[in-house]
């Protein structure tokens, strides 16, 4: 029987005292965590109580990255990590109890190099639940297409075999999009099939608690993705693709007629905001 791989979990932190203790408690309560696993908090210049919170936990390794940027912080964590599998979270993304066990199950397949997990939002209301269902269906649909230019990453719920970083290098240290640039590098060097989605590898993104916050994120992603298209063969989805994903949700009987109508009403402003941000970023 194969030995269980050692795990390293990396969280970049900058003034996250309102979320950090909840996320660390959720990590330490994971069904599959062991004393041999690492939880690495990389402080990126916090001036609140984040450092003091991290120091309270004996199983947490605290590092300091003076170079600002979450990807610089993650890269320092990778260099320090001893795990064969490296999992990435943000401090405001709280893993559910089966998160780590789900990741370990997926990595039993030697063909899996990168794993992306399911993301819920911090407030469980009808509108945000529908939008989360759509976003999770989107990444599943993208990975089912086998087209490298569609594939993206998100380091608030992503796991990577350490050997990939040794082979292809670390994250590009930039404000946004270092995860997608890395994943793009992987799918072009190998194949999109090495990237998988596991809906049981589940987190709650605690920061997003309103529709307005979701829309503000769409603007951020629109501008960021437009910049990415100038650097890598990344291709944002068209409105036709978005409709295909919407009808895939209906086909899976996830949406009743009222939910489908409500989701369309929610998606239209998000698409407009996203495309406007892309246009302004050109």
């Amino acid at each position: 029987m194969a030995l269980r791989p050692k795990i390293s979990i990396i969280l970049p932190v900058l003034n996250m005292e309102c979320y950090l203790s909840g996320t660390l408690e959720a990590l330490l309560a994971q069904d599959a965590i062991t004393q041999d696993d690492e939880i690495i908090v990389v402080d990126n210049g916090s001036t609140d109580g984040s450092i003091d919170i991290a120091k309270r936990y004996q199983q947490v390794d605290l590092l300091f990255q003076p170079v600002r940027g979450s990807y610089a912080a993650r890269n320092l964590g990778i260099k320090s990590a001893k795990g064969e599998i490296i999992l990435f979270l943000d401090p405001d993304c709280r893993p559910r109890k089966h998160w780590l066990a789900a990741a370990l199950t997926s990595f039993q397949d030697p063909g899996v190099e990168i794993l992306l997990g399911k993301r819920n939002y911090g407030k469980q209301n009808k509108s945000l639940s529908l939008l989360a269902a759509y976003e999770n269906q989107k990444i599943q649909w993208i990975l089912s297409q086998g087209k490298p230019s569609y594939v993206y990453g998100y380091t608030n719920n992503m796991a990577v075999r350490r050997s990939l970083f040794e082979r292809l290098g670390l994250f590009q240290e930039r404000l946004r999009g270092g995860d997608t640039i890395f994943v793009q590098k992987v799918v072009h060097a190998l194949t999109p099939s090495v990237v998988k989605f596991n809906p049981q590898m589940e987190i709650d993104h605690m920061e997003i608690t309103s529709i307005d916050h979701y829309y503000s994120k769409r603007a951020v992603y629109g501008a960021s993705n437009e910049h990415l298209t100038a650097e890598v063969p990344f291709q944002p989805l068209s409105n036709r693709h978005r409709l295909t994903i919407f009808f895939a949700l209906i086909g899976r009987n996830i949406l009743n007629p009222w939910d489908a109508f409500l989701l369309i009403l929610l998606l239209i402003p998000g698409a407009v905001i996203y495309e406007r941000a892309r246009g302004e970023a050109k």
Side-chain angles (χ1 to χ4, degrees):
M1 182 176 181
L3 293 176
R4 175 195 182 278
K6 183 178 175 67
I7 296 296
S8 298
I9 303 166
I10 298 174
L11 290 85
V13 172
L14 176 60
N15 295 331
M16 282 284 178
E17 66 176 349
C18 57
Y19 300 113
L20 184 56
S21 61
T23 298
L24 292 176
E25 291 287 348
L27 284 173
L28 292 169
Q30 289 293 301
D31 291 336
I33 201 160
T34 72
Q35 291 296 318
D36 292 329
D37 296 326
E38 297 178 313
I39 300 173
I40 302 172
V41 169
V42 186
D43 186 75
N44 206 204
S46 295
T47 56
D48 64 357
S50 296
I51 294 171
D52 291 334
I53 290 170
K55 286 180 176 178
R56 293 177 197 161
Y57 296 89
Q58 186 176 0
Q59 198 170 339
V60 170
D61 295 324
L62 178 61
L63 305 178
F64 297 92
Q65 173 55 284
V67 178
R68 282 297 179 92
S70 63
Y71 294 106
R74 293 183 185 104
N75 283 343
L76 180 61
I78 295 166
K79 292 173 186 176
S80 171
K82 300 178 180 64
E84 299 167 58
I85 306 296
I86 300 178
L87 293 100
F88 298 96
L89 277 177
D90 284 347
D92 62 345
C93 294
R94 193 165 298 168
R96 297 199 177 178
K97 198 172 181 64
H98 49 270
W99 174 79
L100 180 54
L104 286 166
T105 298
S106 287
F107 280 109
Q108 289 176 5
D109 179 351
V112 175
E113 298 285 349
I114 295 178
L115 187 62
L116 299 170
K118 180 179 179 180
R119 298 181 292 179
N120 306 301
Y121 296 132
K123 190 170 184 179
Q124 300 296 310
N125 61 34
K126 172 63 77 174
S127 296
L128 286 176
S129 294
L130 288 173
L131 288 168
Y134 172 84
E135 294 296 336
N136 288 310
Q137 179 65 34
K138 178 170 72 177
I139 189 62
Q140 292 181 75
W141 181 84
I142 286 171
L143 296 179
S144 74
Q145 300 305 296
K147 187 168 182 178
S149 59
Y150 292 163
V151 184
Y152 60 93
Y154 42 85
T155 40
N156 62 359
N157 191 13
M158 186 167 94
V160 182
R161 290 194 193 272
R162 181 188 185 84
S163 57
L164 267 189
F165 292 115
E166 295 169 349
R167 175 178 176 180
L168 298 174
L170 302 179
F171 292 117
Q172 186 181 123
E173 295 182 3
R174 54 188 289 135
L175 180 61
R176 293 189 179 277
D179 41 16
T180 290
I181 288 176
F182 179 78
V183 172
Q184 280 282 301
K185 188 187 299 185
V186 170
V187 298
H188 283 89
L190 303 175
T191 167
S193 67
V194 303
V195 184
K196 300 295 185 184
F197 176 82
N198 186 336
Q200 300 304 313
M201 185 180 159
E202 194 171 7
I203 60 99
D204 295 306
H205 193 171
M206 305 305 292
E207 182 188 23
I208 299 182
T209 58
S210 71
I211 300 300
D212 287 345
H213 203 162
Y214 171 84
Y215 289 150
S216 71
K217 291 288 188 183
R218 298 306 300 157
V220 169
Y221 296 149
S224 175
N225 288 346
E226 185 59 35
H227 292 311
L228 288 177
T229 60
E231 300 183 46
V232 292
F234 176 66
Q235 179 182 349
L237 299 183
S238 66
N239 286 330
R240 179 175 60 83
H241 293 138
R242 293 170 185 146
L243 279 174
T244 300
I245 294 161
F246 171 78
F247 284 115
L249 277 175
I250 294 177
R252 293 175 57 199
N253 295 318
I254 292 176
L255 303 177
N256 61 41
W258 168 245
D259 286 345
F261 177 69
L262 177 57
L263 180 56
I264 281 287
L265 293 181
L266 294 166
L267 289 173
I268 290 172
V272 171
I273 290 166
Y274 179 91
E275 292 299 336
R276 180 185 301 155
R278 282 188 63 195
E280 292 172 352
K282 290 181 179 179

